[in-house]
């Protein structure tokens, strides 16, 4: 039961933070202007990346372990959804992250504004996947 709790907690924390970023933090930063939003992104990313990666990895591993030990197929589904955010981030989002972190990018440019919008859309995929994972885990807990 501890692995199910760990998986659910990790997915819930990840999803909560991801949704907050998409619905609150990123729009608020954008209202401060593109240059400030880019500067904020650079600082935020540096702090958030290790936490988010740890939550996704630990949650997916715990859920996989729960499934492996007979807790049911929903744990594998949730683990897959949560694990999905790792390669999605590394393969799909990383090029945008790297361009936003690049010191040669003019933070006030239209290119920077477009990159921020692209990043927000891509990050929404992470929000949806992690929220779906959390909901699957909650259903699995209720069914147990």
């Amino acid at each position: 039961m501890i692995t199910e709790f760990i998986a659910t907690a990790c997915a819930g924390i990840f999803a909560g933070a991801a949704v907050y970023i998409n619905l609150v933090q990123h729009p608020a930063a954008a209202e401060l202007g593109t240059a400030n939003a880019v500067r904020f992104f650079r600082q935020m990313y540096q702090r958030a990346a290790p936490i988010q990666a740890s939550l996704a990895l630990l949650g997916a591993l715990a859920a996989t372990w729960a499934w492996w030990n007979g807790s049911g197929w929903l744990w594998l589904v949730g683990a897959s959804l949560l694990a999905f955010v790792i390669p999605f981030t590394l393969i799909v989002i990383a090029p945008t992250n790297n361009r936003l972190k690049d010191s040669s990018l003019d933070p006030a440019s239209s290119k920077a504004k477009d990159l921020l919008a692209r990043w927000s859309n891509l990050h929404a995929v992470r929000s949806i996947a992690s929220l779906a994972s959390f909901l699957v885990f909650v259903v699995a807990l209720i069914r147990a």
Side-chain angles (χ1 to χ4, degrees):
M1 189 61 152
I2 189 73
T3 54
E4 291 91 340
F5 173 78
I6 291 169
T8 305
C10 288
I13 294 167
F14 187 105
V19 169
Y20 173 83
I21 288 168
N22 272 114
L23 297 181
V24 179
Q25 182 177 292
H26 184 72
E31 285 184 16
L32 297 174
T34 302
N36 286 326
V38 170
R39 287 186 198 98
F40 177 80
F41 174 86
R42 291 171 177 167
Q43 295 301 313
M44 178 271 307
Y45 180 84
Q46 175 180 327
R47 289 168 178 80
I51 295 168
Q52 290 177 317
S54 299
L55 287 168
L57 184 60
L58 179 59
L61 289 174
T64 302
W65 187 257
W67 165 76
W68 184 260
N69 286 303
S71 292
W73 63 274
L74 286 174
W75 293 99
L76 184 59
V77 171
S80 299
L81 287 164
L82 192 55
F84 161 79
V85 304
I86 298 169
F88 183 78
T89 301
L90 295 174
I91 297 167
V92 178
I93 301 179
T96 302
N97 289 346
N98 293 337
R99 290 166 63 194
L100 282 165
K101 294 185 305 178
D102 186 345
S103 60
S104 68
L105 176 70
D106 175 5
S109 68
S110 62
K111 179 73 169 173
K113 185 175 183 175
D114 292 344
L115 286 169
L116 285 169
R118 176 170 172 70
W119 178 86
S120 181
N121 291 334
L122 292 172
H123 189 269
V125 173
R126 291 167 34 109
S127 296
I128 292 165
S130 61
L131 185 58
S133 173
F134 176 67
L135 294 174
V136 167
F137 293 157
V138 169
V139 168
L141 287 173
I142 291 169
R143 291 180 55 177

